[in-house]
Amino acid sequence: MEITDDKLLKIALVTSLIGLIGLIAFTPTIEVKEVDIKDINRGMIDEEVSIKGVITDVAQSSSKTSYFLTVNDGEAQIQLIIFESQVAEIESKNLDIDSFKNHKVQVVGTVTQYNSEMELILSRGDSLRIVS
C-alpha cells in the first residue's frame, strides 16, 4: 500500500476531527481541584484550584485598577489578585469588590508565586462568589 499525499491528508483530517470531538465531549467534565489554603505549594504553580474562605482584607492597587484580597480559611491565608478585566466583569453585575469583605467565598484561581509568597490570580469575574 502506497501512502500518497491525498491519503495522508485524509488521515490527518480524521485524526484531528476525532481529537476535537474528544475535547468537546470531555471538557465539561473537567473539574477544578478544591484544596485547603495550607496545602497550596510551589508544585501547584500555574494550576487552577478552588478554595473557600473568608475575605479578611480588601486593598486596591496604587493604580486603582487591581485589588488584593486576603482569603483566610481558619488555618491559613492567601492573597487573591483581581486584575482590571475581572474587576470590570464583577462590577458589571452591580457588585462592589469591597462588599466581599467579611463574607465566606469560593474562589477559583491560578496559583502563582510573588516575592516567595504563594498567591492566587482570579480566573474570571464569575470565579469569586459568596457562599453560605
Side-chain angles (χ1 to χ4, degrees):
M1 179 173 153
E2 185 179 323
I3 298 181
T4 63
D5 287 344
D6 194 38
K7 288 181 183 177
L8 192 58
L9 177 64
K10 288 178 184 177
I11 292 170
L13 280 172
V14 169
T15 306
S16 296
L17 285 174
I18 291 171
L20 287 173
I21 291 170
L23 281 173
I24 291 169
F26 292 111
T27 298
T29 61
I30 297 173
E31 292 196 21
V32 177
K33 180 170 58 172
E34 188 168 332
V35 298
D36 292 328
I37 295 173
K38 66 179 173 48
D39 295 331
I40 296 175
N41 59 51
R42 287 174 179 73
M44 301 171 92
I45 290 177
D46 292 331
E47 194 174 315
E48 195 170 59
V49 297
S50 174
I51 62 168
K52 286 184 182 175
V54 176
I55 303 292
T56 57
D57 188 44
V58 176
Q60 198 170 19
S61 67
S62 57
S63 64
K64 306 280 188 215
T65 58
S66 302
Y67 282 85
F68 305 99
L69 284 64
T70 303
V71 183
N72 188 320
D73 68 358
E75 295 181 25
Q77 64 183 24
I78 194 166
Q79 193 87 357
L80 172 67
I81 292 57
I82 306 176
F83 289 116
E84 186 175 8
S85 58
Q86 288 88 8
V87 170
E89 193 175 334
I90 292 168
E91 290 175 345
S92 73
K93 296 176 185 168
N94 295 325
L95 294 172
D96 181 27
I97 302 290
D98 291 315
S99 68
F100 288 98
K101 188 171 182 178
N102 298 323
H103 283 89
K104 185 173 183 179
V105 296
Q106 180 167 15
V107 178
V108 176
T110 304
V111 178
T112 63
Q113 182 178 354
Y114 181 73
N115 288 340
S116 301
E117 294 291 324
M118 302 309 294
E119 298 179 334
L120 277 184
I121 296 177
L122 189 67
S123 295
R124 296 171 306 281
D126 62 353
S127 296
L128 172 65
R129 38 186 201 97
I130 296 175
V131 294
S132 59

